[in-house]
Amino acid sequence: VPGARAQHALRILQDVNDHKRIYAPETVDSRLLSRNGNEFRSSLRTYKKKVLTVVLDYEFDSVYRELAPGRWQGTIRSTRIVEVENFGEKNELQKPEGTGFGFLWRLNSWWHVQERDGGVVMELRSISLTRNIPLGLAWAIKPIVTSLPRETLETTLGKTRAAVLALSRQGAAR
């Protein structure tokens, strides 16, 4: 991100309450649950419509560490992921953990942020775990499970880049 600083990227990544705006429309809710310095607990709700509509509620523990001046690493680990049934309806409910279609069971991510060449370079690595897909539903669910991780990474990187760029331009205009 040309002209940006590591602090711009960290501000975007750590402002969990604003993630529902930054990462909309896929992220429909985001909340900071607690913060202690560079350690965070947060919750997130995502909405994805493909063949099926998938709404997931997550809880994460995140830690950001400065490795060197202008160089940071963020470790984000899911502590809970549940599917939401009847999203937006009066009878909306979270399914018990470990039940449902098995779209996503765990999600861990690592952000690397480094100031370099007059800007900031951001890298996002992620690993996601799914459960076995019920045989009768594989035709509908497997395409979602196999394409969702790549699409999510691409969208997250693109929207993070745009938000960091906008923030860095605001800072330069002051």
Side-chain angles (χ1 to χ4, degrees), residues 6 10 22 49-51 58 64 68 74 80 128 140 159 169:
L10 288 171
I22 294 168
K49 185 169 177 87
K50 288 189 111 144
V51 175
Y58 308 76
Y64 291 87
R80 181 173 181 266
S128 57
K159 290 185 176 199
R169 288 181 177 161

Side-chain angles (χ1 to χ4, degrees), residues 78-132:
S78 65
T79 57
R80 181 173 181 266
I81 301 176
V82 296
E83 292 180 29
V84 176
E85 193 173 274
N86 304 319
F87 171 67
E89 302 295 325
K90 288 182 182 180
N91 62 340
E92 174 182 296
L93 67 102
Q94 292 181 337
K95 293 185 177 184
E97 197 168 2
T99 65
F101 291 115
F103 295 108
L104 194 57
W105 179 67
R106 283 292 177 256
L107 176 65
N108 294 344
S109 302
W110 298 268
W111 278 99
H112 297 274
V113 176
Q114 181 175 0
E115 289 179 14
R116 191 171 79 199
D117 303 326
V120 68
V121 175
M122 297 180 298
E123 176 184 34
L124 174 59
R125 294 181 183 211
S126 185
I127 186 167
S128 57
L129 301 174
T130 61
R131 292 191 335 273
N132 289 335

